[in-house]
Amino acid sequence: MELLLLAVAIAGVSLSAPLIAATAAPALAIAFWRNAMAVGALTPFALWRHRAELRGVGRRTALLAVAAGALLAVHFGVWLPSLRMTSVASSTALVTTTPIWTTLLLSLRGHRPPALVWAGTALAFLGVLMLTGVDLSLSPRALAGDALALAGGMAGAGYVLLGAEVRRTVSTVTYTYLCYATTTVLLLAACLIGGVRLGGHSGETWLKLVLLTVAAQLLGHSLMNRVVKGLGPSVTSTAILLETPGAALIAALWLDQRPPAVAYPALAVIMAGLALVILGDRKRKPVPPETGV
């Protein structure tokens, strides 16, 4: 069941890049609205069914959720602008280093991931490189964009790890609500400080922002927050690599952009790497099943 939900989540986030590319709005504004709209959609549900849990959240758990939201804000805030500073291929390859940083952070925390997890992570990332290539430019602007994308991958790893910790004790809705609310506030501050235009968009742009929120945020990130408790941060972060070929295939169907021939073998390599991570991660201590939404 959790693997099925993860597949739906990956399909949701795979819509992100094509939608962002087709949305005529500043990058930070897109990041802000997808989180703000998600908070708006979650608010009635969170206050109706999870009010008691929200009130009872301990200080440590709340701080971890806020920290995860801050890292998610950094992830969006540096990656989306990088897409317009460096090549999409370089930005994608660098931001999807998330599972590498996740595995390294787990090692530093004394978890010692099995050799299969390391091998699977490397193999899956190789699949991304097969699809995106390595075309790092030496121009100052492109190098700055590469650095931002790499920072986005690091922030994404911290977000996944903190989310896994918070989800040990609270429901998906409570964690997601606290996390997205923090991300929204921080991105709003960044937009206001940077003078980013938040309104005045066309009806088509607002429609795309709503679709982005539903697909990439509510279905994508929220379902990842749902399954990270059971699947663990290693499997969840490695599965994010499937976003790259997923976006290419969606673009082929939706935008009539034929994916490169290497997209299909790259997808197979990423899937093989993910399978190794799942096999290796099963050596860890089992996690109790989900008890609430």
Side-chain angles (χ1 to χ4, degrees):
M1 179 62 178
E2 289 180 327
L3 289 176
L4 177 60
L5 291 176
L6 181 60
V8 175
I10 296 302
V13 296
S14 294
L15 276 168
S16 182
L19 276 172
I20 290 171
T23 301
L28 281 179
I30 295 174
F32 164 74
W33 282 117
R34 65 184 286 178
N35 283 275
M37 290 180 179
V39 171
L42 287 171
T43 295
F45 191 52
L47 297 183
W48 175 42
R49 292 193 53 183
H50 297 267
R51 182 184 305 173
E53 185 180 24
L54 282 168
R55 288 177 176 174
V57 170
R59 181 177 180 181
R60 178 180 179 274
T61 299
L63 288 176
L64 288 176
V66 168
L71 287 172
L72 184 59
V74 172
H75 170 75
F76 285 135
V78 298
W79 175 50
L80 268 67
S82 80
L83 290 168
R84 299 176 184 179
M85 298 174 65
T86 187
S87 70
V88 173
S90 292
S91 179
T92 302
L94 290 169
V95 80
T96 52
T97 55
T98 291
I100 295 175
W101 304 116
T102 300
T103 305
L104 287 173
L105 288 172
L106 284 171
S107 298
L108 292 175
R109 293 175 60 189
H111 285 260
R112 292 194 177 94
L116 278 178
V117 171
W118 284 103
T121 299
L123 184 61
F125 186 63
L126 175 63
V128 172
L129 292 181
M130 287 173 57
L131 180 59
T132 63
V134 181
D135 59 346
L136 301 182
S137 171
L138 295 180
S139 74
R141 179 177 176 81
L143 284 176
D146 294 335
L148 288 176
L150 185 61
M154 294 178 178
Y159 159 66
V160 171
L161 285 173
L162 288 178
E165 180 65 24
V166 176
R167 285 285 292 110
R168 290 164 61 90
T169 56
V170 301
S171 67
T172 305
V173 171
T174 295
Y175 164 62
T176 300
Y177 187 66
L178 293 173
C179 178
Y180 291 175
T182 302
T183 304
T184 299
V185 171
L186 293 177
L187 286 174
L188 176 61
C191 289
L192 294 177
I193 293 172
V196 176
R197 181 172 60 91
L198 293 175
H201 306 304
S202 67
E204 180 183 356
T205 295
W206 286 115
L207 181 60
K208 290 175 180 176
L209 287 171
V210 171
L211 181 57
L212 180 65
T213 300
V214 173
Q217 201 71 24
L218 292 175
L219 287 179
H221 280 269
S222 297
L223 283 180
M224 286 182 186
N225 292 334
R226 162 67 172 79
V227 302
V228 71
K229 179 179 180 180
L231 295 179
S234 293
V235 173
T236 304
S237 62
T238 303
I240 293 173
L241 293 174
L242 291 169
E243 176 183 351
T244 303
L249 295 176
I250 288 174
L253 296 173
W254 180 31
L255 303 176
D256 199 26
Q257 295 179 0
R258 183 181 298 274
V262 75
Y264 302 103
L267 176 59
V269 171
I270 294 173
M271 290 295 292
L274 179 59
L276 289 180
V277 172
I278 292 173
L279 289 174
D281 202 60
R282 283 181 176 174
K283 295 181 180 180
R284 65 188 176 88
K285 183 179 179 180
V287 177
E290 175 71 40
T291 58
V293 177

